Amino acid sequence: MGDYREIWSNLNMDLDKHDILCEALPQAFGDIYLTQENRPEAMNYFNYALAEVHGARIVELKEEKEKGKKVVGTFCVFVPDEVILATNAIGVGLCSGSQFWIEDGEKVLPRNLCPLVKAFMGAKVSRTCPYFQSCDMIIGETTCDGKKKAYEILEDYMPVYVMELPQMKREKNYEEWQDEIKLFIKKMEELTGNKVTVDKLKETIDLCNRKRRALKRLYDLRKNTPSPISGLDALLVSQVAFLDDIERFIARTNDLCDELEERVKTIEGNNKKRIVITGTPMAVPNWKLHSIIEGLNAEVLVEETCTGTRYFENEVSTEGDTIDDLVKNLADRYMKINCACFTPNDGRIEDVIRFVEEYKADGVINYNLSFCHTYAIEYGKLEKALKEKNIPLLNIETDYSEEDAGQIKTRVEAFLEMI
Ligand code: BJ8
C-alpha cells in the first residue's frame, strides 16, 4: 500500500493506532489467502482491492466528495443501495470483522455483545477506519437489539439516520417498509440536494440488479464439482462488494466468472467434502471459519448469510411509471431477505435445504457470532428441519478472536470425518 498518511490525517484518523492495524492485515491476508494453490488469475484484482482497502479506494471517495458527492455508511443489506445511488451518493458497508476494534468498542458498549456491533463501534471510537471517517451520514436500521441501541451511541460521534425495519412479513409490514423507503428517499434527497426521479431510480435498480447477477453467476459456478474457486476467494469477492465502486466490481467479478467458466472445463476432481455455511455475516477481514474448513479436506460452496446469498438473491423489478411503483418493487425484493430478526423466518431454513440440494453439499455448518440471540435461537428450528432431511449439521458459535480456533478446528475435523 502507498503512503496515504496525509489523506488519513485529513480524515482525522488516529495515525499511530491505524499503523498497528495496517501492520497486522497484510500478514493475516498473506497467511490465509496467498498460501492457497492454483488461484484464479482474476483474483489478483480482489487481492489488490484488499491490499488497497484503506488506500486507493479512500482516495477515490475523497475525489468524489470533492466533486460534491456524499458518502453514507450502512450496516445491513436491508438498506436499499438503489436509493443511495439514485441521489448520486456512494454507499459503503461498514460492518466490521476485525478483533482489532473490539477493545475500543467495549469502551462504550457492554462486553457481552455481538462482536460485529462492538467492532463497528470500536472502528468509529478509535478513528481508525477511513470509510467511517469518510462518511457524511450513517444509515442504521432496527434489526437486532444490539445494532438498534448502538446507533444511539453512534449519534454522539456523527449524524445517524435509522430506518425502521418491520420484524414480520404480513401485508401491512410490506406497506410499512414501503413507507420507510419513501422516508429514506426524502432523507437522502435532503442530504444530497438531488431529487430521486423515476428514470434515475430505474437506472440504479438496473445497476444493482447487474451487481446481483454478477454475484449470482459466481455462486452458480461454485455449484460445479469440484468448485472452480475456493470458498475463501468467493468470500473475499463478496466482502469487496460492500466497499468497491459498483461498475468496476461488476466488471471484475464477470472477468473472474469468465475465467472460472474456462476452468470448469478442465478442472480435475477432488474428494473434498462440500459444505454450506449458514448464519451471521462475515465482514472483512473475518476469514476465520472458511480458513479452518478449507485448511482441512473440505470446500465451502455457498454462504447463506448477508455476506453471501442474502445480499444478491432476487432482483428488483423496474416495471412501473411512478416512484410509488418502484418503491413497491424495492420493498417486495428486500422483504424477501430471510434475516433471523424476523419472526417467523422459515424462509431461511427452506433456503438452506434448497442450497444443500443445488450445491450437492455433504453438510451444513451454522455460523453464529457470539451473543447474536436471534440466530442462536433460530438454530433449534434449523436443527430440527435438517434432521428430518438427514442433513448433517454442525453449530459453531464464535467471535473474532483466535483463542478458540484450535477447538473449532477439532470440531470441524470430527464433523468432516463423520459426514
Ligand atoms: S439482514 S443478519 S445484515 S441484521 S449485528 S443480527 S450478527 S447480533 S448482522 Fe444482519 Fe441485516 Fe440481519 Fe443481515 Fe446478529 Fe450481530 Fe445483530 Fe447481526
Side-chain angles (χ1 to χ4, degrees):
M1 190 162 58
D3 184 1
Y4 301 101
R5 289 183 82 79
E6 197 183 327
I7 291 171
W8 294 331
S9 173
N10 291 339
L11 288 171
N12 190 26
M13 291 178 64
D14 181 335
L15 295 184
D16 292 339
K17 203 166 209 173
H18 185 244
D19 282 348
I20 303 170
L21 177 62
C22 288
E23 273 165 31
L25 192 63
Q27 176 73 41
F29 186 73
D31 291 350
I32 294 171
Y33 273 88
L34 305 182
T35 51
Q36 296 181 94
E37 283 171 14
N38 196 22
R39 296 177 76 210
E41 280 279 313
M43 280 308 296
N44 285 338
Y45 170 71
F46 298 94
N47 293 345
Y48 165 80
L50 197 274
E52 284 289 331
V53 71
H54 281 197
R57 181 67 182 136
I58 298 301
V59 174
E60 287 179 353
L61 293 183
K62 173 183 164 285
E63 287 167 355
E64 294 297 337
K65 279 170 75 97
E66 282 166 0
K67 285 185 222 154
K69 279 200 181 185
K70 299 290 180 191
V71 176
V72 295
T74 61
F75 298 94
C76 179
V77 296
F78 268 96
V79 177
D81 285 336
E82 292 86 345
V83 171
I84 297 172
L85 293 163
T87 57
N88 214 21
I90 301 171
V92 285
L94 293 178
C95 281
S96 315
S98 172
Q99 177 69 15
F100 180 82
W101 285 314
I102 297 292
E103 195 184 325
D104 283 301
E106 287 177 350
K107 288 179 185 162
V108 291
L109 292 171
R111 292 192 68 198
N112 55 349
L113 190 66
C114 164
L116 190 147
V117 180
K118 288 192 287 190
F120 80 59
M121 191 62 83
K124 181 64 209 171
V125 170
S126 63
R127 294 183 289 115
T128 48
C129 173
Y131 290 92
F132 242 121
Q133 299 303 106
S134 300
C135 283
D136 297 287
M137 181 174 276
I138 295 300
I139 313 299
E141 75 312 313
T142 57
T143 45
C144 66
D145 290 350
K147 283 209 272 186
K148 188 164 71 187
K149 298 305 283 181
Y151 297 138
E152 293 175 23
I153 313 282
L154 198 55
E155 257 171 350
D156 291 343
Y157 297 84
M158 60 195 304
V160 177
Y161 176 80
V162 178
M163 296 183 78
E164 185 180 358
L165 183 71
Q167 312 270 280
M168 294 177 82
K169 294 186 179 178
R170 299 164 298 180
E171 207 177 312
K172 83 183 190 76
N173 303 119
Y174 276 70
E175 283 161 19
E176 284 161 7
W177 190 233
Q178 286 175 37
D179 289 343
E180 276 300 310
I181 294 175
K182 285 179 197 162
L183 288 174
F184 180 47
I185 289 176
K186 217 168 137 220
K187 189 74 199 174
M188 285 304 300
E189 287 177 340
E190 271 168 28
L191 177 73
T192 60
N194 297 325
K195 189 110 188 91
V196 174
T197 61
V198 170
D199 285 348
K200 187 72 188 168
L201 193 51
K202 280 193 181 192
E203 196 185 293
T204 59
I205 288 173
D206 185 57
L207 179 59
C208 292
N209 282 342
R210 287 200 288 118
K211 181 179 188 179
R212 293 185 181 110
R213 239 168 274 153
L215 282 163
K216 170 123 182 39
R217 192 177 162 210
L218 173 66
Y219 273 61
D220 282 346
L221 280 156
R222 296 171 76 189
K223 290 176 183 168
N224 282 286
T225 313
S227 168
I229 182 168
S230 68
L232 269 168
D233 278 340
L235 177 62
L236 181 62
V237 174
S238 293
Q239 291 172 336
V240 168
F242 287 86
L243 299 168
D244 204 359
D245 171 76
I246 185 162
E247 285 284 10
R248 182 175 55 215
F249 176 82
I250 295 167
R252 294 292 87 81
T253 303
N254 278 320
D255 288 347
L256 173 64
C257 292
D258 290 345
E259 184 182 343
L260 298 182
E261 269 170 12
E262 289 306 309
R263 267 192 174 218
V264 294
K265 292 178 189 162
T266 54
I267 195 164
E268 285 179 19
N270 65 33
N271 62 350
K272 290 185 178 176
K273 298 283 164 59
R274 297 167 66 84
I275 301 297
V276 170
I277 286 182
T278 178
T280 47
M282 296 166 171
V284 72
N286 179 5
W287 307 305
K288 183 173 167 179
L289 185 58
H290 280 60
S291 65
I292 291 173
I293 295 170
E294 297 198 332
L296 299 163
N297 190 31
E299 54 188 1
V300 177
L301 278 314
V302 55
E303 299 80 11
E304 189 286 315
T305 66
C306 289
T307 40
T309 55
R310 278 182 236 138
Y311 184 48
F312 65 79
E313 279 220 313
N314 304 307
E315 295 190 8
V316 179
S317 165
T318 49
E319 292 294 308
D321 305 312
T322 64
I323 291 287
D324 282 1
D325 292 338
L326 298 177
V327 164
K328 183 177 180 308
N329 298 347
L330 284 168
D332 286 349
R333 184 268 161 189
Y334 279 87
M335 287 291 276
K336 286 192 189 121
I337 298 170
N338 295 318
C339 175
C341 296
F342 282 82
T343 183
N345 187 36
D346 297 336
R348 174 177 164 229
I349 293 165
E350 288 160 18
D351 285 344
V352 173
I353 293 169
R354 174 166 61 90
F355 292 147
V356 169
E357 285 161 12
E358 285 179 7
Y359 289 80
K360 298 182 274 310
D362 299 299
V364 175
I365 298 185
N366 185 64
Y367 174 72
N368 208 122
L369 283 171
S370 320
F371 303 110
C372 178
H373 302 311
T374 50
Y375 281 85
I377 294 167
E378 201 162 278
Y379 177 74
K381 273 191 134 183
L382 179 72
E383 187 181 32
K384 189 164 171 273
L386 295 199
K387 201 169 185 181
E388 278 166 15
K389 299 258 175 204
N390 282 324
I391 299 169
L393 173 68
L394 174 69
N395 189 33
I396 298 289
E397 185 161 343
T398 186
D399 57 16
Y400 294 162
S401 75
E402 284 301 316
E403 278 166 27
D404 58 355
Q407 191 203 8
I408 294 173
K409 186 175 171 215
T410 308
R411 293 188 56 214
V412 172
E413 211 162 12
F415 180 66
L416 295 176
E417 271 169 30
M418 185 266 288
I419 60 181

